[in-house]
Amino acid sequence: MNTGEFLLKGNRIMTKGQKGPPGFAARLEDGILTLLLVSMIVLSFTQILLRNFFETGLIWIDPLVRQMLLWITLVGAMVATRERNHITVDAIFRHIPPGRGKFATNFICNTFAAIVCALLTYSTFRVFHMEFQDPQGGFIMTGLPLWVSLLTMPVAFGVMTLRFIRFSILSLLQTIRGEANP
Amino acid sequence: MTAVLGIICIVIGFLLGAPLFCVFAAMALLGWHIDETSVSVVGTDIFRLSSNFILITIPMFTYAGYLLGESGAPKRLVKLSRALFDVMPGGLAIVSIIACSLFTAFTGASGITIAALGSFLFPALLQDKYSENFSLGLVTTGGSLGLLFAPSVPLIIYGVITETPISDMFIAGIIPGLLMLLILCILSVFIAKRDKIPTSPLKWKDLGAALWEAKWEIPIPIFVLGGLYGGFIIVSEAAAVTAFWVLIVEVLIQREISYSQHKKVVKDSMVMVGGILIIMAAALASTNYFIDVDVPMKIFDFIQRYVSTKVVFLILLNCLLFALGMILDIFSALVVVVPLIMPVAKKYGINDVHLGIIFLANMQIGYLTPPFGMGLFISGYRFNKGIIQTTAACLPFITMLIGSVLLITYWPDLSLFLLRIMGRPY
C-alpha cells in the first residue's frame, strides 16, 4: 500500500535532480521500468493478435514475458527501496513522536532490512551460481540462457542491500545529532 | 539460541515497521537455517515468481488503473453516472459508490481510488448539500469497495496462491460484491430522503454529451467485465488488451498524459507492483517453509481442541481477519495468511472459493476500522480531517458492511450459487 506516499512525504529522500552516480542509477532504473512494462504490454498484445487473427504465435514470447514479470518486480522493489516506499506495518511507527525516537526506529528497521537483503543476495547468488556452472544449463529462449535471468536477483538484492546500508548510516547519524538534516 | 534471537529480531523488525518483504524473507531464511537446509531454497522460491503466467496481469491492470486515474477518465466517469443517476434520491451518493467500486476493481484498495475519485466527489457531495460526515464516510468507504469484482488484483492473487481458477473467483465475487453495493446504496437513498437532497430531472442532452465524452473509456469495462464474466477471454488477455488500449487512448489519442507524467505513472504503478510482488515472493518462501514443517496441521490440531463446529470456526475466522485487516494491508495478509489458513478451513468443510470471498470482504472492513485502518489515514490526510472525525463518519458504513460480511460468511450459497448455475462443481 502506498500509504508512504500519502503519509510520510516529509520523511522521504528526494532523488529528483540528484547528480552523480545515485542520480544516474535512479534514471536508469526508471528507464528500465518503462522499457520493461511497455515491451511486456506490446509483446502480450502482439501474441493475442497472432493467436486470434492469424492462428499462430511466437513460442518465445510467453516465457520471456514471464521473466519480465520477475525483472519488473525486482526493479520495482529497488525503486521502492530508493524512495522508501516499501509496504510496512506502520501502526507503531506512526505514533512515535518525531525526533530521536523516530530516527532510532528508522535505524533499527534499515539495519534489519540491510542484513536480510544481504542474506537474500547470498541466497539468490547461490542459485545463480549453480545454474551458471551447470554445463547443461537451461534456456529461456534461444540465445537467452536461464542464468541471465537468475543473475538479476542477486544484482537487485545487492543494490537494495547497499541502499539500506546507506539509510541505516544516515539514520544513525540523525539519531546521534537528533535532527533530520545533516 | 539462534532461533530465539532470530525470532526476537524478526518480531521487532515487524513491529517497528521494517519492510514486510524483509520480515517474511527473514522468517524463511531463519527457518531453513534451523532446518539445516541450504538457504538457496529461498532464492529458488523467489525465482518461482517467473513461473506463473497469471501474475503478469498484475502489472498490466495496475498500470492501466493508475493511468486512468491520472487522466480525465474519473471525471468523465462521474459526469456520465451523474447524468444517469441524478434523477433519483441519493443520486450522487450512488454515483460515488458505483464509480468508486468500478475504479477499485481495476486498481485494488491502494488508496488510489480516494486520490483519483474522492478528491472531486467529496466537494461535489458537499455542494449537493450532503452532510460533511456522510460525504467523508462515503468517499472513505468507497476507497475499498469493489474488491470483489473482476479484475481486482487481490482476487487474482488469492486465485494464484490457492490454485483456484481465477474465473471462478471472479464469478463468486459478483453477488457478494453487489450485495455490499446494494446495502450502501439503500443507506444513501435513505439518508438523502431524510436530509431532503434535491434531485434533478433526466437531461437527455447532458447524457448524450457525457456518453460522447467517455466514448474511449466505455469499451474498457464492457470488454473486460463482459469478456471475463462471459468467458470470452482469459484474464491474461484481458489485462494485455486493457493496458494496450489505455496506453493508446490516454497517451496518444486523448493526449491528457504528457511524456513526463507517463513516466511518473509507470514509476508509481510499478513501485506498487514491485512492492506487492516482492512481498509475495518472500511470502512464497516463508510459507514453503511453514508447510514443510507442517504448521497448518499444527494450527488445525490446536484449534480443533477448542473449536468443534464450522460455525464457531467461521466466527473465529471473522474476528481474526477483522483484526488482521487493521494491521496488515490486503496484499500482505493474503500472501501470508491464506496458505496457512486454507488447509485448516478445508478441514472444517469451507470451500476455497468461499474462503476467498470471506477473506477479502473481511479485510475490506479492516481497512476502515480504527485504530490502524489504512483507509482512514489516507482519507484523513487527503481531506484534512482528523482521524476521529473520519472514523465517526465511517461508522454507519462500517456497520452496514459488517452486516453484509456476516451474511457472506454464513451463507456460502451467496458466493457459490452463480458458479453452480454455470455447472461448476461447488
Side-chain angles (χ1 to χ4, degrees), chain A residues 5-179:
Chain A
E5 198 181 330
F6 297 101
L7 299 170
L8 299 172
K9 247 180 189 150
N11 208 7
R12 282 165 68 187
I13 288 200
M14 301 306 289
T15 36
K16 217 174 206 172
Q18 207 172 33
K19 289 192 181 72
F24 175 73
R27 281 197 302 279
L28 185 67
E29 281 168 355
D30 295 354
I32 292 175
L33 266 188
T34 314
L35 185 70
L36 278 175
L37 182 69
V38 172
S39 25
M40 198 171 167
I41 294 170
V42 172
L43 282 176
S44 309
F45 189 72
T46 317
Q47 185 80 324
I48 293 169
L49 287 185
L50 287 175
R51 221 174 257 155
N52 291 309
F53 295 102
F54 302 97
E55 282 171 16
T56 151
L58 297 166
I59 341 165
W60 53 270
I61 288 186
D62 290 358
L64 181 65
V65 166
R66 284 208 309 264
Q67 298 303 320
M68 285 172 138
L69 174 87
L70 175 75
W71 304 338
I72 283 193
T73 305
L74 292 171
V75 182
M78 280 156 68
V79 179
T81 309
R82 186 182 87 209
E83 313 224 318
R84 299 192 167 189
N85 217 342
H86 270 294
I87 299 174
T88 62
V89 171
D90 56 354
I92 293 180
F93 185 79
R94 203 187 283 139
H95 297 283
I96 298 174
R100 276 216 166 87
K102 214 154 199 158
F103 296 137
T105 315
N106 259 332
F107 169 70
I108 296 170
C109 292
N110 288 323
T111 313
F112 176 81
I115 296 169
V116 176
C117 283
L119 291 171
L120 284 175
T121 312
Y122 169 71
S123 163
T124 49
F125 182 80
R126 289 271 300 269
V127 180
F128 152 75
H129 196 65
M130 273 186 286
E131 173 71 26
F132 186 65
Q133 286 193 322
D134 187 355
Q136 274 141 10
F139 280 86
I140 292 160
M141 53 188 267
T142 325
L144 186 61
L146 189 58
W147 62 261
V148 176
S149 188
L150 287 167
L151 181 61
T152 55
M153 297 194 295
V155 171
F157 286 116
V159 171
M160 285 187 244
T161 311
L162 293 179
R163 288 196 169 142
F164 280 122
I165 291 176
R166 177 165 166 260
F167 291 153
S168 168
I169 295 170
L170 281 177
S171 44
L172 180 64
L173 289 177
Q174 287 170 345
T175 316
I176 295 167
R177 289 209 189 87
E179 58 192 29

Side-chain angles (χ1 to χ4, degrees), chain B residues 95-382:
Chain B
V95 167
S96 313
I97 292 168
I98 292 174
C100 283
S101 48
L102 202 63
F103 216 76
T104 309
F106 273 86
T107 56
S110 52
I112 194 174
T113 307
I114 293 174
L117 276 167
S119 43
F120 61 90
L121 277 175
F122 184 60
L125 282 162
L126 291 182
Q127 204 185 5
D128 266 25
K129 306 267 181 319
Y130 288 91
S131 72
E132 185 179 89
N133 271 350
F134 175 79
S135 313
L136 184 62
L138 186 69
V139 174
T140 313
T141 316
S144 65
L145 275 178
L147 275 187
L148 295 176
F149 297 124
S152 119
V153 172
L155 271 181
I156 297 178
I157 292 187
Y158 181 86
V160 170
I161 305 172
T162 59
E163 293 172 2
T164 314
I166 310 289
S167 52
D168 288 4
M169 290 309 301
F170 286 162
I171 292 166
I174 298 178
I175 298 183
L178 286 178
L179 173 79
M180 287 186 155
L181 294 197
L182 187 71
I183 289 181
L184 293 186
C185 285
I186 293 173
L187 175 76
S188 304
V189 172
F190 176 77
I191 300 257
K193 281 209 159 145
R194 190 197 66 191
D195 294 354
K196 301 199 173 55
I197 307 291
T199 58
S200 56
L202 182 64
K203 293 195 198 84
W204 289 104
K205 215 175 128 196
D206 287 0
L207 181 59
L211 269 174
W212 179 245
E213 267 180 46
K215 61 184 176 299
W216 294 109
E217 282 97 5
I218 291 173
I220 302 172
I222 295 178
F223 171 77
V224 173
L225 299 180
L228 288 177
Y229 287 136
F232 305 117
I233 44 168
I234 51 172
V235 62
S236 57
E237 293 182 336
V241 174
T242 308
F244 190 76
W245 178 265
V246 171
L247 169 66
I248 299 292
V249 165
E250 306 298 344
V251 181
L252 298 179
I253 298 180
Q254 304 261 38
R255 290 175 187 266
E256 286 170 338
I257 308 273
S258 68
Y259 176 70
S260 62
Q261 256 176 309
H262 181 254
K263 235 169 70 184
K264 193 180 168 306
V265 169
V266 171
K267 196 180 85 186
D268 287 351
S269 56
M270 289 310 109
V271 163
M272 168 97 186
V273 168
I276 294 170
L277 290 181
I278 198 80
I279 288 184
M280 180 158 181
L284 275 176
S286 64
T287 47
N288 197 6
Y289 168 74
F290 288 136
I291 287 169
D292 191 70
V293 294
D294 262 349
V295 169
M297 271 316 293
K298 282 172 190 154
I299 298 178
F300 176 67
D301 287 341
F302 176 77
I303 298 181
Q304 210 190 16
R305 257 183 269 160
Y306 306 97
V307 179
S308 49
T309 63
K310 185 174 167 178
V311 174
V312 183
F313 175 76
L314 282 174
I315 294 174
L316 271 182
L317 185 68
N318 277 144
C319 299
L320 170 79
L321 293 179
F322 194 63
L324 267 179
M326 287 190 258
I327 335 175
L328 283 180
D329 67 289
I330 283 175
F331 301 108
S332 328
L334 269 175
V335 292
V336 181
V337 181
V338 167
L340 300 180
I341 290 275
M342 197 189 64
V344 180
K346 231 181 199 152
K347 299 235 178 215
Y348 280 98
I350 296 159
N351 184 283
D352 288 356
V353 173
H354 183 212
L355 179 71
I357 303 298
I358 298 177
F359 203 98
L360 293 186
N362 236 304
M363 293 295 295
Q364 181 184 336
I365 300 183
Y367 186 78
L368 296 171
T369 31
F372 304 129
M374 211 107 46
L376 295 176
F377 286 94
I378 298 175
S379 180
Y381 179 84
R382 191 88 202 174

